[in-house]
Amino acid sequence: MSVVAATRRHESRRARTVTIGLAVALVALFALSLSYGSFQVSLPDVVRSLLGQPTPPQVDYIVQTLRLPRALVGVLAGIAFGLAGAIFQQLLRNPLASPDVIGVTSGATTAAVLSIVVFSTSGPVLSLVALGGALITALLIYLFAWRGGSVGGYRFVLVGIGIGAAMAGLTSFLLTRADVRAAQEALIWLAGSLNGRTWDNVVPLAIASLILVPGAVLLGRPLTGLQLGDDVARGLGLHVERGRLLLLIVGVCLAGTATAAAGPISYIAFMSGPIAARMVGGGRPVLLPAGLVGAVIVLAGDFIGSHLLGPAQFPVGVVTGVIGAPYLLWLLATANRTGRGG
Amino acid sequence: MPAPSTLRAEELSLGYGDRHVVDNLTLEIPAGKVTVIVGPNACGKSTFLRGLARLLPASSGTVLLDGRSIHSTPSKDVALQLGILPQGPIAPDGITVADLVSRGRHPHQGYFRRWTAEDDAAVTAALTATGTLELAARSVDELSGGQRQRVWIAMALAQRTGILLLDEPTTYLDLSHQVEVLDLLTDLNETEGATVVMVLHELNLACRYADHLVVMKDGAIVAAGDPGEVLTEQVVESVFDMRCRVVPDPVSRTPMIVPIGRHRTGGVS
């Protein structure tokens, strides 16, 4: 076997091993979150309930109505945030360029809070509104960052952070003007929480994931060219603008629908890609593993927040924020030192 | 490798926004030869090369590849005949040499036609030709500037095109590595009959390695042809705004430019 084939095989094998390992961890966490809680359900009972076989009283209600939607939202939102972050970071070649740092998620949040507070919407309508917010914000960033026919990665990040701050300000303003109860509801959602998720949250997210996740994985092919810079990519026969636009649209839609379903769970998009890239190694675009890392972090964070921090229940976004904020600071410090900030 | 296609710029104008950089330029690239484009900074030589490779849209005029407009030919078909190594390509963090060079196979693949033995052979040949086969499993980040440049050239070679365009392939390299890269490209031209077009800064090396020398100034071609006929003292003086002597290179007998500045001229004036 040639050296080239051997190296390529080694890299593919490592990516496959990591993907399988993450999938196994995810299934284990999923089972744990269905079974563990103030009312313990044994794993065999969980499986029986999922398969529609007879179970002890209350088990069906607890598993299918209370815990399954919550766990599914966690998995799907985690995958969506992880994929969206990895797409943005790898496309713009900047670890800071994830949708939760550059304001795309903030835009979805502002739109969602507006519709919760003013129109008391929920379910599929809320999803669409949040998605619209994400798309409009991304378009704004794109327009402001556009200069002379190209969009530079660093410029995109700076403009995005600015627009994100403006959106956050708008969200705060909406909350101060809102009715207390509506504001309370919006605040819980704002922390990024899986509490009280129902099938109404699962369905739109699942439908979006069915389209967007395979789309993202297919777009991994143009991404391998775009990673090398626009000129090299064009030289290899790629349609640079079309590829970039499609990747950005898929990324924004993933971030928007995930935000609608679970709230802006902090730093999942930001952390998942780099963690997955480190696990997989090499320089290939890391998409599916990033999504799986996102889902694992969300389920683990939700489990920690619900069961391991004493009697009080913390939303998953609080837990992930505690991990993500130091990482952001570390990245800012080291990126400036090595001069790779842009 | 396919027989080299013909490449021709016809009344080509290029620019960025409102700024015109290359104006109404017509040039036939000799097939199966090494063409070197030289000229002072900001004369439009890189822009012209990018235009030839359809990286920049033409503001007027056209580029013909085998008689067909390069802009109306599907980009992927062009990529099977014409490869370009632009200036300052970006290697993703952590990418291995084998992976980077493999990406040169992109136009030969598709969503459903993935990696084949032919791809493998092309990448191995490109690594061997550039002397980087033993680096295959290494990370590009760890390489020296010279090694990295050879790896990028290997990526362009792996594309297996009859025409190869390179924008200053020797920048950032020390003299021995510059000569090494130019020898490598000459090998490619002689053994595979590939058409090579490159922008170079160093006039003496340009004269030595070019079959066909193109001298540009202010977005236009001043002279083109055999280096021995083209590069006279008058041409250098008018294009580079510098007085010089042109003597035969003691090694290759091609023109060698000896600049004359204000100091240390040994009495020549």
Side-chain angles (χ1 to χ4, degrees):
Chain A
M1 186 170 46
S2 75
V3 192
V4 177
T7 310
R8 290 180 59 86
R9 183 166 305 183
H10 174 75
E11 290 190 63
S12 314
R13 190 172 295 159
R14 185 162 163 193
R16 197 156 51 230
T17 312
V18 168
T19 309
I20 293 170
L22 285 167
V24 169
L26 184 59
V27 170
L29 279 165
F30 190 72
L32 183 67
S33 55
L34 291 185
S35 123
Y36 190 88
S38 50
F39 185 98
Q40 298 280 359
V41 180
S42 72
L43 281 178
D45 277 348
V46 168
V47 175
R48 261 180 230 123
S49 172
L50 291 180
L51 294 177
Q53 290 171 3
T55 47
Q58 292 182 342
V59 163
D60 270 357
Y61 174 73
I62 287 171
V63 170
Q64 293 179 12
T65 309
L66 295 183
R67 292 184 188 165
L68 189 56
R70 175 185 188 128
L72 281 176
V73 168
V75 170
L76 294 174
I79 290 177
F81 276 130
L83 274 177
I87 288 174
F88 270 75
Q89 289 164 332
Q90 289 168 45
L91 186 64
L92 299 170
R93 299 181 209 101
N94 191 326
L96 286 173
S98 82
D100 43 1
V101 176
I102 64 169
V104 173
T105 320
S106 308
T109 305
T110 306
V113 167
L114 180 72
S115 84
I116 291 176
V117 167
V118 181
F119 306 104
S120 6
T121 40
S122 63
V125 180
L126 184 64
S127 292
L128 286 178
V129 171
L131 183 58
L135 284 168
I136 289 169
T137 315
L139 188 68
L140 276 178
I141 300 172
Y142 202 83
L143 288 179
F144 280 112
W146 178 273
R147 189 163 62 180
S150 73
V151 175
Y154 204 46
R155 206 174 144 74
F156 204 86
V157 172
L158 286 178
V159 170
I161 290 175
I163 290 188
M167 291 294 168
L170 200 56
T171 305
S172 306
F173 172 76
L174 286 169
L175 287 175
T176 58
R177 307 288 295 197
D179 164 68
V180 176
R181 254 174 310 164
Q184 178 79 20
E185 196 179 317
L187 272 175
I188 294 171
W189 182 84
L190 264 178
S193 172
L194 301 182
N195 283 342
R197 297 297 109 171
T198 65
W199 288 100
D200 278 355
N201 303 108
V202 177
V203 172
L205 184 56
I207 293 170
S209 301
L210 274 179
I211 302 162
L212 295 172
V213 174
V217 173
L218 274 182
L219 287 170
R221 184 175 141 78
L223 188 53
T224 57
L226 290 168
Q227 276 184 316
L228 307 178
D230 290 2
D231 275 0
V232 174
R234 262 188 213 111
L236 290 173
L238 276 147
H239 299 277
V240 170
E241 277 77 22
R242 192 175 72 192
R244 182 163 39 218
L245 191 66
L246 282 174
L247 278 159
L248 285 177
I249 289 173
V250 167
V252 169
C253 289
L254 282 164
T257 43
T259 309
I265 306 178
S266 34
Y267 300 124
I268 301 296
F270 174 59
M271 290 189 292
S272 303
I275 292 174
R278 186 149 293 191
M279 291 170 88
V280 171
R284 297 188 190 188
V286 176
L287 293 178
L288 208 52
L292 290 172
V293 167
V296 165
I297 299 179
V298 171
L299 282 194
D302 187 45
F303 188 80
I304 292 169
S306 312
H307 305 302
L308 302 184
L309 299 178
Q313 291 223 345
F314 291 93
V316 55
V318 173
V319 178
T320 58
V322 169
I323 314 168
Y327 170 61
L328 176 59
L329 288 175
W330 175 80
L331 192 68
L332 284 170
T334 54
N336 281 346
R337 196 162 54 230
T338 55
R340 293 194 307 133
Chain B
M1 191 165 293
S5 317
T6 61
L7 186 64
R8 183 182 160 82
E10 219 154 68
E11 297 174 359
L12 181 68
S13 295
L14 300 161
Y16 304 93
D18 298 335
R19 201 159 54 88
H20 280 282
V21 180
V22 168
D23 200 23
N24 205 25
L25 198 153
T26 298
L27 180 72
E28 172 97 38
I29 302 291
K33 296 278 200 279
V34 176
T35 299
V36 177
I37 305 173
V38 295
N41 291 335
C43 71
K45 54 191 191 296
S46 282
T47 305
F48 177 49
L49 196 78
R50 295 183 73 224
L52 275 180
R54 54 112 173 58
L55 302 187
L56 265 186
S59 41
S60 70
T62 184
V63 175
L64 298 174
L65 179 64
D66 282 338
R68 238 181 115 187
S69 164
I70 204 169
H71 300 287
S72 58
T73 310
S75 191
K76 194 174 159 173
D77 294 352
V78 174
L80 293 171
Q81 298 173 58
L82 182 151
I84 166 109
L85 181 60
Q87 249 181 316
I90 300 159
D93 287 341
I95 193 170
T96 59
V97 170
D99 187 6
L100 182 65
V101 176
S102 297
R103 295 193 189 183
R105 298 301 293 166
H106 193 282
H108 298 267
Q109 297 169 312
Y111 279 100
F112 302 105
R113 191 196 155 287
R114 290 296 169 103
W115 196 253
T116 64
E118 193 193 335
D119 295 325
D120 200 87
V123 172
T124 306
L127 289 168
T128 310
T130 51
T132 49
L133 189 62
E134 71 275 13
L135 304 175
R138 293 264 299 275
S139 165
V140 174
D141 307 331
E142 304 166 2
L143 305 182
S144 71
Q147 290 172 325
R148 207 171 296 171
Q149 191 65 21
R150 281 186 288 154
V151 167
W152 278 108
I153 292 172
M155 192 211 73
L157 294 187
Q159 205 175 329
R160 289 255 164 173
T161 53
I163 303 176
L164 188 56
L165 311 186
L166 305 103
D167 194 354
E168 302 206 14
T170 58
T171 356
Y172 308 125
L173 300 184
D174 58 37
L175 192 56
S176 67
H177 285 113
Q178 291 183 29
V179 170
E180 201 174 277
V181 162
L182 293 170
D183 276 340
L184 164 68
L185 294 168
T186 309
D187 284 342
L188 179 77
N189 165 254
E190 286 179 354
T191 57
E192 313 253 1
T195 306
V196 176
V197 185
M198 56 186 152
V199 167
L200 286 183
H201 242 107
E202 227 285 325
L203 286 178
N204 295 334
L205 287 176
C207 288
R208 188 183 282 188
Y209 284 92
D211 296 317
H212 191 72
L213 189 73
V214 177
V215 185
M216 285 183 68
K217 188 187 185 184
D218 296 335
I221 292 175
V222 175
D226 181 83
E229 291 163 17
V230 165
L231 217 66
T232 59
E233 288 172 7
Q234 291 75 22
V235 166
V236 175
E237 189 164 340
S238 71
V239 170
F240 290 91
D241 203 13
M242 174 193 76
R243 293 194 307 132
C244 70
R245 282 286 161 78
V246 175
V247 296
D249 183 322
V251 175
S252 61
R253 315 310 295 169
T254 50
M256 190 168 87
I257 287 80
V258 184
I260 304 172
R262 287 191 297 110
H263 293 292
R264 312 260 170 163
T265 57
V268 177
S269 62

